[in-house]
Amino acid sequence: MKVDSTWSGGSLRLRRVRDRLHEQRLDGLLLSQLSDVRWLSGFSGSAALLLVEPGSATLITDFRYATQVSEEVDSEIAVVMAQNDLFEALAGCLDEGPASRIGFEEHDLTVRDRRAIGEGCGGVIWEPAGPIVSGLRSAKDAGEIAAIQRAVEVAETSLSQAVGAVSEGVSERDVAAELVYRLLRNGSEALPFEPIVAAGERSALPHARPGERALREGDLLLIDFGAVVSGYCSDVTRTFVLGGSDQWQREIHGIVREAVDRAVTAMAAGVPVRDVDRAARQVIEAAGYGENFGHGTGHGVGLEVHELPRINARSRDTLEAGNVVTIEPGVYLPGRGGVRLEEVVLVEEGAGRALTRYPLSLQEL
C-alpha cells in the first residue's frame, strides 16, 4: 500500500512512458534520476534505478530500503534488491537474447556509470533518450498541485513568523536560521535549497549565501527560500526593507512587481514561454533597468525545485495546463541593493493562477 497520496495513476504514467518508447523505437528505458524514479514508482529512497520495458517495470535498490519499498512501490512494479552494485543487479534483469535498444537519461548518468552499464550489459545497445519523463512530469495532476499548494502555505507561514524576529543588528545568517527552524517546525520535510538571505548592498547578489553581515536601518532584505511537502517543492521570494524605505527602493520594487503582474497576466495554456519572459522583461527594460535583470523569468517546480518548462528568452517550450512555474524577475543595482519577487503560478487553460498569497507589497519591518 502506497503511503504517498500524491503518487497516483502509476499505470497511466507508465503507459505514457511506454508510448514515448514506441515513438522512439526503444525497447526500454533506464531511469537513474531519482525524481523521475519517484514520479513513476512512488519510491522516495536515495539509491535506485528503474527499468521500464513494454511489458514490465523493475525497481532496483538495496537492503536499506527493503521495508520502504513495500510501503511505497505499487505491486505492478517488480523490486530487485541489489547485493552489491545497482548496475550489476541491472545486468541480471536484462534478458539474454537479441540485442535490444534501451534508452538512458544522458542528462543524469555520469560518464563512469555509462561505462558501467556498457561493460555489464554487453548485449544492449544504449541510446540517449532525452528528458522523456522530465517532460511528462511538467504537467501536474490534482494530487501534485495540492502538494505544491501545501508547500507554498508552509513556506508563507514560516516567512511570516521569521520576519517577526528581524531587527537591526541581527545577521543574515540569524534570519536564515530562524527561517529554517520555522520551516521544519511547520512541516517542511527538507529544504529544497539553501535559503538566500541578503541584506543591504548584498541584496544585489542574485544568489547570495547568508553571511555575518548585520542588518541596518534602511537595508533592503531579500529572502528566497522554499518548503517540501510530500516530496513537492515551493520556491518563494520577497524583498523587505528594515525601517522606512527610500524612494529608489520603492521605485525598483514597484517596477519588479509590475513585471510579475505582466508575466502572470500573459500566462495561459498554449502560450510560448518566451512570451511570458518578454512580458516581464519589457517592463524592466522600459524603466531603464534592462541591464540589471540578467537571469530568466522563471522555471517549473515540482519534485525538483527547478523543472521544465524553463521560462527564458531562448526557450521554445509552450505552456500547458497543469504546469506549475515560478515567476521571479528582479532588478539588481551593484553596491546599492536589489529587489526580486517570486510567485508560484498554476497554468490553467485560459490564465495563470498564483498559488502564493503572501503580499507582494514592499513591507517595512
Side-chain angles (χ1 to χ4, degrees), residues 309-348:
R310 311 292 188 188
I311 301 179
N312 58 58
R314 299 177 303 280
S315 176
R316 295 298 177 262
D317 291 339
T318 298
L319 294 176
E320 58 180 309
N323 287 155
V324 180
V325 302
T326 67
I327 297 295
E328 53 173 324
V331 170
Y332 312 95
L333 306 180
R336 298 185 72 189
V339 170
R340 182 166 66 251
L341 300 171
E342 183 174 24
E343 293 278 74
V344 179
V345 184
L346 170 65
V347 178
E348 298 179 319

Short mmCIF file of all heavy atoms in Angstrom, two decimals, residues 309-348:
data_model
loop_
_atom_site.label_atom_id
_atom_site.label_comp_id
_atom_site.label_asym_id
_atom_site.label_seq_id
_atom_site.Cartn_x
_atom_site.Cartn_y
_atom_site.Cartn_z
N PRO A 309 8.75 23.63 -17.47
CA PRO A 309 9.47 24.37 -18.51
C PRO A 309 10.34 25.47 -17.91
O PRO A 309 10.07 25.98 -16.82
CB PRO A 309 8.33 24.98 -19.32
CG PRO A 309 7.24 25.23 -18.32
CD PRO A 309 7.34 24.08 -17.34
N ARG A 310 11.40 25.84 -18.64
CA ARG A 310 12.25 26.97 -18.26
C ARG A 310 11.69 28.22 -18.93
O ARG A 310 11.44 28.21 -20.13
CB ARG A 310 13.68 26.76 -18.73
CG ARG A 310 14.27 25.40 -18.38
CD ARG A 310 14.50 25.21 -16.90
NE ARG A 310 15.24 23.98 -16.64
CZ ARG A 310 15.45 23.49 -15.44
NH1 ARG A 310 14.98 24.11 -14.38
NH2 ARG A 310 16.14 22.36 -15.28
N ILE A 311 11.49 29.27 -18.16
CA ILE A 311 10.90 30.48 -18.72
C ILE A 311 12.01 31.50 -18.97
O ILE A 311 12.45 32.21 -18.06
CB ILE A 311 9.81 31.05 -17.79
CG1 ILE A 311 8.73 29.99 -17.57
CG2 ILE A 311 9.20 32.31 -18.38
CD1 ILE A 311 7.62 30.41 -16.66
N ASN A 312 12.48 31.51 -20.21
CA ASN A 312 13.51 32.46 -20.59
C ASN A 312 13.37 32.78 -22.08
O ASN A 312 12.55 32.17 -22.79
CB ASN A 312 14.91 31.93 -20.26
CG ASN A 312 15.21 30.60 -20.94
OD1 ASN A 312 15.15 30.48 -22.15
ND2 ASN A 312 15.52 29.58 -20.13
N ALA A 313 14.16 33.71 -22.55
CA ALA A 313 14.01 34.20 -23.92
C ALA A 313 14.43 33.17 -24.96
O ALA A 313 14.00 33.25 -26.12
CB ALA A 313 14.83 35.47 -24.10
N ARG A 314 15.24 32.18 -24.59
CA ARG A 314 15.74 31.20 -25.54
C ARG A 314 14.87 29.96 -25.65
O ARG A 314 14.98 29.19 -26.61
CB ARG A 314 17.17 30.77 -25.17
CG ARG A 314 18.17 31.91 -25.18
CD ARG A 314 19.54 31.44 -24.72
NE ARG A 314 19.49 30.84 -23.39
CZ ARG A 314 19.47 31.52 -22.26
NH1 ARG A 314 19.48 32.84 -22.27
NH2 ARG A 314 19.44 30.90 -21.09
N SER A 315 14.01 29.74 -24.68
CA SER A 315 13.22 28.51 -24.65
C SER A 315 12.21 28.49 -25.79
O SER A 315 11.63 29.51 -26.16
CB SER A 315 12.48 28.40 -23.31
OG SER A 315 11.63 27.27 -23.32
N ARG A 316 11.98 27.30 -26.32
CA ARG A 316 10.95 27.10 -27.34
C ARG A 316 9.79 26.28 -26.78
O ARG A 316 8.95 25.79 -27.53
CB ARG A 316 11.57 26.41 -28.57
CG ARG A 316 12.61 27.27 -29.29
CD ARG A 316 11.96 28.55 -29.83
NE ARG A 316 12.92 29.44 -30.46
CZ ARG A 316 13.47 30.50 -29.85
NH1 ARG A 316 13.17 30.77 -28.58
NH2 ARG A 316 14.32 31.27 -30.48
N ASP A 317 9.74 26.16 -25.46
CA ASP A 317 8.63 25.45 -24.81
C ASP A 317 7.34 26.26 -24.89
O ASP A 317 7.36 27.48 -25.03
CB ASP A 317 8.96 25.17 -23.35
CG ASP A 317 10.07 24.15 -23.18
OD1 ASP A 317 10.32 23.39 -24.13
OD2 ASP A 317 10.69 24.13 -22.10
N THR A 318 6.24 25.55 -24.76
CA THR A 318 4.92 26.17 -24.72
C THR A 318 4.23 25.74 -23.44
O THR A 318 4.29 24.56 -23.05
CB THR A 318 4.08 25.74 -25.93
OG1 THR A 318 4.72 26.18 -27.13
CG2 THR A 318 2.68 26.33 -25.88
N LEU A 319 3.59 26.67 -22.77
CA LEU A 319 2.88 26.35 -21.53
C LEU A 319 1.73 25.40 -21.81
O LEU A 319 1.07 25.48 -22.86
CB LEU A 319 2.34 27.62 -20.88
CG LEU A 319 3.38 28.62 -20.36
CD1 LEU A 319 2.67 29.87 -19.83
CD2 LEU A 319 4.25 28.00 -19.27
N GLU A 320 1.47 24.50 -20.87
CA GLU A 320 0.31 23.64 -20.96
C GLU A 320 -0.40 23.60 -19.61
O GLU A 320 0.21 23.86 -18.56
CB GLU A 320 0.69 22.23 -21.40
CG GLU A 320 1.69 21.52 -20.53
CD GLU A 320 2.02 20.12 -21.03
OE1 GLU A 320 1.07 19.34 -21.29
OE2 GLU A 320 3.22 19.81 -21.17
N ALA A 321 -1.69 23.32 -19.65
CA ALA A 321 -2.46 23.26 -18.42
C ALA A 321 -1.84 22.25 -17.47
O ALA A 321 -1.49 21.14 -17.86
CB ALA A 321 -3.90 22.89 -18.73
N GLY A 322 -1.69 22.64 -16.21
CA GLY A 322 -1.07 21.78 -15.21
C GLY A 322 0.37 22.13 -14.92
O GLY A 322 0.91 21.67 -13.92
N ASN A 323 1.01 22.91 -15.78
CA ASN A 323 2.34 23.41 -15.43
C ASN A 323 2.26 24.23 -14.16
O ASN A 323 1.32 25.03 -13.98
CB ASN A 323 2.91 24.30 -16.53
CG ASN A 323 3.34 23.59 -17.79
OD1 ASN A 323 3.38 24.18 -18.85
ND2 ASN A 323 3.68 22.31 -17.69
N VAL A 324 3.21 24.04 -13.26
CA VAL A 324 3.36 24.92 -12.10
C VAL A 324 4.74 25.54 -12.23
O VAL A 324 5.74 24.83 -12.27
CB VAL A 324 3.22 24.17 -10.77
CG1 VAL A 324 3.38 25.14 -9.60
CG2 VAL A 324 1.86 23.47 -10.68
N VAL A 325 4.76 26.86 -12.33
CA VAL A 325 6.01 27.56 -12.60
C VAL A 325 6.19 28.72 -11.63
O VAL A 325 5.24 29.18 -11.00
CB VAL A 325 6.04 28.11 -14.05
CG1 VAL A 325 5.86 26.98 -15.06
CG2 VAL A 325 4.97 29.17 -14.26
N THR A 326 7.43 29.17 -11.53
CA THR A 326 7.69 30.41 -10.79
C THR A 326 7.84 31.56 -11.76
O THR A 326 8.24 31.38 -12.90
CB THR A 326 8.99 30.30 -9.96
OG1 THR A 326 10.12 30.22 -10.86
CG2 THR A 326 8.97 29.09 -9.06
N ILE A 327 7.50 32.74 -11.28
CA ILE A 327 7.76 34.00 -11.98
C ILE A 327 8.60 34.83 -11.03
O ILE A 327 8.14 35.19 -9.94
CB ILE A 327 6.45 34.73 -12.34
CG1 ILE A 327 5.62 33.88 -13.31
CG2 ILE A 327 6.75 36.10 -12.92
CD1 ILE A 327 6.27 33.69 -14.66
N GLU A 328 9.87 35.12 -11.41
CA GLU A 328 10.78 35.75 -10.47
C GLU A 328 11.71 36.78 -11.12
O GLU A 328 12.93 36.63 -11.09
CB GLU A 328 11.62 34.69 -9.74
CG GLU A 328 12.34 33.70 -10.64
CD GLU A 328 13.27 32.79 -9.86
OE1 GLU A 328 13.89 33.25 -8.88
OE2 GLU A 328 13.37 31.61 -10.23
N PRO A 329 11.16 37.86 -11.67
CA PRO A 329 12.03 38.92 -12.19
C PRO A 329 12.71 39.67 -11.05
O PRO A 329 12.29 39.61 -9.89
CB PRO A 329 11.06 39.82 -12.95
CG PRO A 329 9.76 39.63 -12.24
CD PRO A 329 9.73 38.19 -11.80
N GLY A 330 13.77 40.39 -11.39
CA GLY A 330 14.48 41.17 -10.39
C GLY A 330 15.23 42.33 -11.01
O GLY A 330 15.49 42.35 -12.22
N VAL A 331 15.57 43.28 -10.17
CA VAL A 331 16.44 44.41 -10.55
C VAL A 331 17.53 44.48 -9.50
O VAL A 331 17.24 44.57 -8.30
CB VAL A 331 15.67 45.74 -10.62
CG1 VAL A 331 16.64 46.91 -10.77
CG2 VAL A 331 14.67 45.73 -11.78
N TYR A 332 18.80 44.45 -9.95
CA TYR A 332 19.94 44.39 -9.05
C TYR A 332 20.89 45.55 -9.36
O TYR A 332 21.41 45.64 -10.48
CB TYR A 332 20.66 43.05 -9.22
CG TYR A 332 19.72 41.86 -9.19
CD1 TYR A 332 19.23 41.32 -10.39
CD2 TYR A 332 19.29 41.31 -7.99
CE1 TYR A 332 18.35 40.25 -10.37
CE2 TYR A 332 18.42 40.24 -7.96
CZ TYR A 332 17.94 39.71 -9.16
OH TYR A 332 17.07 38.65 -9.14
N LEU A 333 21.11 46.41 -8.38
CA LEU A 333 21.97 47.58 -8.54
C LEU A 333 23.24 47.36 -7.73
O LEU A 333 23.22 47.47 -6.49
CB LEU A 333 21.24 48.84 -8.06
CG LEU A 333 19.86 49.10 -8.70
CD1 LEU A 333 19.26 50.39 -8.14
CD2 LEU A 333 19.96 49.15 -10.21
N PRO A 334 24.35 47.02 -8.38
CA PRO A 334 25.59 46.71 -7.65
C PRO A 334 25.99 47.83 -6.70
O PRO A 334 25.96 49.02 -7.05
CB PRO A 334 26.62 46.55 -8.78
CG PRO A 334 25.80 46.12 -9.96
CD PRO A 334 24.51 46.88 -9.83
N GLY A 335 26.35 47.44 -5.48
CA GLY A 335 26.78 48.40 -4.47
C GLY A 335 25.66 49.09 -3.74
O GLY A 335 25.91 49.79 -2.74
N ARG A 336 24.41 48.92 -4.20
CA ARG A 336 23.27 49.58 -3.56
C ARG A 336 22.28 48.55 -2.99
O ARG A 336 21.96 48.58 -1.81
CB ARG A 336 22.55 50.49 -4.54
CG ARG A 336 23.40 51.63 -5.08
CD ARG A 336 22.56 52.56 -5.94
NE ARG A 336 21.63 53.35 -5.14
CZ ARG A 336 20.67 54.12 -5.66
NH1 ARG A 336 20.50 54.16 -6.98
NH2 ARG A 336 19.88 54.83 -4.87
N GLY A 337 21.81 47.66 -3.85
CA GLY A 337 20.84 46.68 -3.40
C GLY A 337 19.98 46.21 -4.55
O GLY A 337 20.03 46.75 -5.67
N GLY A 338 19.19 45.18 -4.30
CA GLY A 338 18.35 44.62 -5.34
C GLY A 338 17.01 44.16 -4.81
O GLY A 338 16.81 43.98 -3.61
N VAL A 339 16.09 43.97 -5.75
CA VAL A 339 14.74 43.51 -5.44
C VAL A 339 14.41 42.34 -6.35
O VAL A 339 14.61 42.41 -7.58
CB VAL A 339 13.69 44.62 -5.65
CG1 VAL A 339 12.27 44.05 -5.55
CG2 VAL A 339 13.89 45.74 -4.64
N ARG A 340 13.94 41.24 -5.79
CA ARG A 340 13.36 40.14 -6.56
C ARG A 340 12.08 39.73 -5.87
O ARG A 340 12.01 39.69 -4.64
CB ARG A 340 14.32 38.95 -6.64
CG ARG A 340 13.76 37.80 -7.49
CD ARG A 340 14.81 36.75 -7.87
NE ARG A 340 15.34 35.99 -6.75
CZ ARG A 340 16.58 36.12 -6.29
NH1 ARG A 340 17.41 37.01 -6.80
NH2 ARG A 340 17.00 35.38 -5.27
N LEU A 341 11.06 39.43 -6.66
CA LEU A 341 9.80 38.91 -6.17
C LEU A 341 9.49 37.63 -6.94
O LEU A 341 9.71 37.57 -8.15
CB LEU A 341 8.67 39.93 -6.37
CG LEU A 341 8.85 41.28 -5.68
CD1 LEU A 341 7.77 42.26 -6.14
CD2 LEU A 341 8.80 41.13 -4.16
N GLU A 342 8.98 36.64 -6.24
CA GLU A 342 8.75 35.35 -6.90
C GLU A 342 7.40 34.78 -6.48
O GLU A 342 7.13 34.57 -5.30
CB GLU A 342 9.87 34.38 -6.54
CG GLU A 342 9.76 33.04 -7.22
CD GLU A 342 10.97 32.16 -6.93
OE1 GLU A 342 11.63 32.39 -5.87
OE2 GLU A 342 11.26 31.26 -7.73
N GLU A 343 6.58 34.52 -7.49
CA GLU A 343 5.29 33.89 -7.30
C GLU A 343 5.34 32.46 -7.84
O GLU A 343 6.07 32.15 -8.79
CB GLU A 343 4.20 34.65 -8.07
CG GLU A 343 3.93 36.05 -7.52
CD GLU A 343 2.99 36.01 -6.35
OE1 GLU A 343 3.46 35.60 -5.26
OE2 GLU A 343 1.82 36.40 -6.50
N VAL A 344 4.54 31.56 -7.24
CA VAL A 344 4.32 30.22 -7.77
C VAL A 344 2.97 30.23 -8.45
O VAL A 344 1.95 30.58 -7.83
CB VAL A 344 4.37 29.16 -6.65
CG1 VAL A 344 4.10 27.76 -7.24
CG2 VAL A 344 5.71 29.19 -5.93
N VAL A 345 2.94 29.86 -9.73
CA VAL A 345 1.74 30.05 -10.55
C VAL A 345 1.35 28.74 -11.22
O VAL A 345 2.18 28.05 -11.82
CB VAL A 345 1.99 31.13 -11.63
CG1 VAL A 345 0.70 31.40 -12.42
CG2 VAL A 345 2.49 32.43 -10.99
N LEU A 346 0.07 28.42 -11.15
CA LEU A 346 -0.50 27.26 -11.85
C LEU A 346 -1.04 27.73 -13.20
O LEU A 346 -1.83 28.68 -13.27
CB LEU A 346 -1.63 26.65 -11.01
CG LEU A 346 -2.50 25.59 -11.71
CD1 LEU A 346 -1.66 24.35 -12.05
CD2 LEU A 346 -3.68 25.20 -10.82
N VAL A 347 -0.62 27.05 -14.26
CA VAL A 347 -1.10 27.38 -15.60
C VAL A 347 -2.42 26.64 -15.83
O VAL A 347 -2.49 25.41 -15.69
CB VAL A 347 -0.08 26.98 -16.67
CG1 VAL A 347 -0.62 27.28 -18.07
CG2 VAL A 347 1.25 27.71 -16.44
N GLU A 348 -3.45 27.41 -16.16
CA GLU A 348 -4.75 26.84 -16.49
C GLU A 348 -5.07 27.14 -17.95
O GLU A 348 -4.30 27.80 -18.64
CB GLU A 348 -5.81 27.39 -15.54
CG GLU A 348 -5.50 27.00 -14.09
CD GLU A 348 -6.51 27.53 -13.08
OE1 GLU A 348 -6.92 28.70 -13.23
OE2 GLU A 348 -6.85 26.80 -12.16
#
